[in-house]
Amino acid sequence: MKEEFRQMNVELLGLSVDSLYSHIAWIRKIEELEWKGMKNVKIDFPVIADLNTKVSTKYGMLQPNVSSTQAVRAVFVIDPEGIIRSIIYYPLTTGRNFDEIKRMILALQKSDETHNSTPANWQPGDDLIISTPTTVADAEAGMASTDEDEYALDWFLRFRKDKV
């Protein structure tokens, strides 16, 4: 999905406590294997060797009080200003869900663009949640809105139709 992410203005970066030589061997093996119809998969994004575990420790990727350096599987979404916007931790036994990662990034981008929130299970094109009013006057104004792209279930739960 690298190209899909790139079209969303997202760059991929890998990090592991393994050595450069382990990364080279892993990348070569991935590129020669075939699985579930995927073959010739290219790992052409940077993979950082964090042998001293400074980065992994700082980002909470190592299990506390464990003697091994077996890292936690984690996805960090970092915005262009360098702010971590989302962290998803996965147990070592559980693979990542890249469709959900993509959906979450699209939701963050939509919220940044529109200053609205996305509801549970939001997909691009679904209605957005308008920020909850902070004053009685704002609540009353929201409920009285005649904007055809807005509707309210109650004063605290208002929606805006997404203009894709």
Side-chain angles (χ1 to χ4, degrees):
M1 294 178 68
K2 180 183 165 216
E3 285 308 314
E4 288 180 60
F5 285 115
R6 181 164 276 156
Q7 289 173 8
M8 296 164 45
N9 199 28
V10 172
E11 291 295 331
L12 304 176
L13 174 71
L15 179 117
S16 160
V17 297
D18 294 325
S19 71
L20 173 64
Y21 302 109
S22 294
H23 292 167
I24 291 169
W26 175 76
I27 289 169
R28 289 181 68 192
K29 184 54 75 175
I30 292 293
E31 290 180 351
E32 67 187 39
L33 293 175
E34 180 177 348
W35 184 64
K36 289 191 173 185
M38 294 186 301
K39 60 182 178 180
N40 302 322
V41 172
K42 290 287 182 200
I43 307 296
D44 58 356
F45 54 85
V47 180
I48 298 170
D50 183 30
L51 285 173
N52 63 13
T53 70
K54 283 184 180 178
V55 177
S56 302
T57 300
K58 188 171 190 161
Y59 278 77
M61 297 172 68
L62 297 177
Q63 295 293 332
N65 304 318
V66 175
S67 61
S68 89
T69 57
Q70 204 168 23
V72 171
R73 308 291 193 244
V75 174
F76 294 82
V77 176
I78 304 171
D79 72 14
E81 285 76 44
I83 297 169
I84 297 174
R85 299 289 299 278
S86 176
I87 304 171
I88 305 171
Y89 285 101
Y90 292 88
L92 291 173
T93 58
T94 305
R96 267 84 74 224
N97 181 327
F98 289 97
D99 290 325
E100 172 55 17
I101 294 166
K102 178 181 175 182
R103 186 198 74 83
M104 191 242 336
I105 292 169
L106 287 169
L108 286 168
Q109 291 174 339
K110 179 58 77 169
S111 292
D112 288 350
E113 172 194 333
T114 65
H115 306 288
N116 293 294
S117 298
T118 57
N121 301 315
W122 175 87
Q123 294 293 325
D126 288 354
D127 295 348
L128 304 167
I129 298 174
I130 298 171
S131 295
T132 305
T134 56
T135 66
V136 172
D138 288 345
E140 289 172 354
M143 291 301 291
S145 174
T146 58
D147 186 330
E148 63 185 37
D149 290 333
E150 294 181 10
Y151 61 96
L153 300 182
D154 209 325
W155 69 268
F156 60 88
L157 188 56
R158 296 176 41 235
F159 293 88
R160 174 179 299 285
K161 294 178 183 167
D162 186 18
K163 297 177 181 170
V164 181

